[in-house]
Amino acid sequence: MRQRLLKLVPQLLAILVLAAVSLAVWAAWLGWDQHRDVQPDGTTTGPYEAWQVIGLVLTLLAPVYWAASRRYIAGAVLGITVGLTAAAYYDWSDDSSGLFMVGVGMVMVGSLVVTAVISAVIASVKRDGR
């Protein structure tokens, strides 16, 4: 029983650390940009630019690689997903239309699927490369 708990602790720590890293990276890339751009024809875009989202994704590749290469697959997948979902919920919850939950759900599902695939590929490559 004790051995099982000792194996679980690093996974739980990885989940917590990666969730915190995801929150911080969201704040660094997306948290400061809260205004929408009004185009000449009256349409609005934003608040984020494509380069901000690309920067967020590329920045998160490093902690996912770190966790997956150490076999903390659950830590990588759940930590990143929980962190991004919480950040999106906090950032978008003041939306008066109520549709922010659709976006939050899309962030959750997308980050879950993408980090699961990337973590599996990294763990597989690292296993074969040793």
Side-chain angles (χ1 to χ4, degrees):
M1 176 76 169
R2 186 177 177 128
Q3 288 283 21
R4 187 177 240 171
L5 286 176
L6 288 177
K7 286 185 178 183
L8 188 62
V9 169
Q11 285 284 358
L12 292 174
L13 284 174
I15 291 170
L16 291 173
V17 167
L18 290 175
V21 166
S22 298
L23 285 166
V25 170
W26 179 287
W29 283 102
L30 305 178
W32 55 270
D33 193 0
Q34 299 297 318
H35 73 281
R36 295 192 177 275
D37 299 322
V38 179
Q39 303 301 320
D41 64 356
T43 59
T44 59
T45 61
Y48 314 122
E49 299 291 331
W51 64 268
Q52 290 173 283
V53 178
I54 292 167
L56 170 74
V57 171
L58 292 177
T59 304
L60 286 175
L61 284 176
V64 169
Y65 178 82
W66 173 85
S69 65
R70 286 162 178 73
R71 300 282 189 251
Y72 301 143
I73 305 299
V77 173
L78 295 177
I80 298 293
T81 301
V82 166
L84 290 180
T85 303
Y89 181 85
Y90 178 78
D91 199 15
W92 299 340
S93 63
D94 61 350
D95 179 39
S96 61
S97 72
L99 290 175
F100 77 94
M101 282 306 294
V102 173
V104 171
M106 291 172 68
V107 167
M108 181 181 67
V109 172
S111 61
L112 182 72
V113 170
V114 170
T115 54
V117 169
I118 290 173
S119 296
V121 168
I122 290 170
S124 174
V125 168
K126 291 295 278 188
R127 182 183 66 229
D128 294 342
R130 285 188 186 183

